[in-house]
Amino acid sequence: MRKFRREAAPEFLAGRWEAWGREWEERQRKGGSFHWHQVDGEMVNQRLLPGLRAQTQDHCSFCDAFPVSPPSDPTIEHFRPKSRFPREAYHWPNLYFCCRFCQQQKRERYEEDALRPDADDYEFERYFRCDFTTGMILVNERASPEDQRQARATIDLYGLNRDHPAWRKQQRYLRDRARDRPLDDFAYRDFVDG
Ligand SMILES: [Zn+2]
């Protein structure tokens, strides 16, 4: 889970996201299901995806899979689930570019301790380390107990060590390259590029 910097919210969301959130809250109360709004004949999620995708250079915000393409289609992940936080369904800071695998792991679950890759104080090495031999993302044992709890919650929530195509790629990469160069954040990203 590589850190990224969030860009400013797209202009078309400003002044609308709150009303859309309240509308969804109301529809949910009546037992309705979630549908993205349309703006100028285009679904809001389709309109948001390019900007969200650009922020992470096309990598899944959570497992770092790249490129996010079928069978793991690009999706928009609501960090705080839209079922439980309906008013945040269109709130820009709550929306993340995400692969289908991560989203299917997490579904509508929410974990207060989970980490956000765009948080100011987030750094991969602060919370995690990578096992060279297996490609597994592990909790940084030198982190504070609180940081370790957050790291564990994030790994569990998004299933970061599950049997995932990106993860198999990581293992291949590790076998071939880990002996030759030290592992840093960029190398970690390269697992899934390689
Ligand atoms: Zn993912």
Side-chain angles (χ1 to χ4, degrees), residues 145-185:
E146 167 64 15
D147 285 0
Q148 290 192 39
R149 193 168 62 241
Q150 290 191 277
R152 204 167 293 117
T154 308
I155 291 171
D156 292 347
L157 193 62
Y158 289 98
L160 296 183
N161 287 324
R162 70 201 177 280
D163 190 16
H164 180 304
W167 187 67
R168 279 186 229 121
K169 264 173 115 179
Q170 288 175 18
Q171 288 183 305
R172 271 206 303 280
Y173 175 86
L174 283 162
R175 253 198 327 268
D176 300 344
R177 312 264 309 263
R179 273 164 271 139
D180 306 333
R181 59 192 233 192
L183 184 70
D184 58 21
D185 195 21

Side-chain angles (χ1 to χ4, degrees), residues 75-94:
T75 64
I76 296 180
E77 154 71 358
H78 292 87
F79 189 85
R80 300 179 106 187
K82 57 190 179 302
S83 55
R84 200 163 145 195
F85 302 91
R87 292 197 184 200
E88 291 190 49
Y90 292 89
H91 192 206
W92 177 245
N94 193 39

Side-chain angles (χ1 to χ4, degrees), residues 50-182:
L52 289 170
R53 188 193 276 269
Q55 284 183 152
T56 59
Q57 291 86 46
D58 210 356
H59 293 250
C60 172
S61 301
F62 301 97
C63 73
D64 218 40
F66 172 83
V68 179
S69 53
S72 187
D73 315 315
T75 64
I76 296 180
E77 154 71 358
H78 292 87
F79 189 85
R80 300 179 106 187
K82 57 190 179 302
S83 55
R84 200 163 145 195
F85 302 91
R87 292 197 184 200
E88 291 190 49
Y90 292 89
H91 192 206
W92 177 245
N94 193 39
L95 307 177
Y96 290 82
F97 185 65
C98 185
C99 78
R100 180 81 60 195
F101 289 99
C102 282
Q103 202 176 51
Q104 284 175 346
Q105 289 288 317
K106 191 208 167 221
R107 298 188 180 278
E108 295 296 310
R109 288 187 294 154
Y110 176 61
E111 175 61 66
E112 194 70 50
D113 280 339
L115 295 160
R116 291 173 180 259
D118 57 332
D120 286 344
D121 59 354
Y122 174 75
E123 293 293 345
F124 180 82
E125 296 82 359
R126 174 175 165 184
Y127 296 94
F128 303 106
R129 68 181 181 83
C130 195
D131 182 329
F132 280 95
T133 57
T134 64
M136 303 264 277
I137 307 298
L138 304 175
V139 173
N140 174 4
E141 308 91 335
R142 280 185 267 174
S144 71
E146 167 64 15
D147 285 0
Q148 290 192 39
R149 193 168 62 241
Q150 290 191 277
R152 204 167 293 117
T154 308
I155 291 171
D156 292 347
L157 193 62
Y158 289 98
L160 296 183
N161 287 324
R162 70 201 177 280
D163 190 16
H164 180 304
W167 187 67
R168 279 186 229 121
K169 264 173 115 179
Q170 288 175 18
Q171 288 183 305
R172 271 206 303 280
Y173 175 86
L174 283 162
R175 253 198 327 268
D176 300 344
R177 312 264 309 263
R179 273 164 271 139
D180 306 333
R181 59 192 233 192

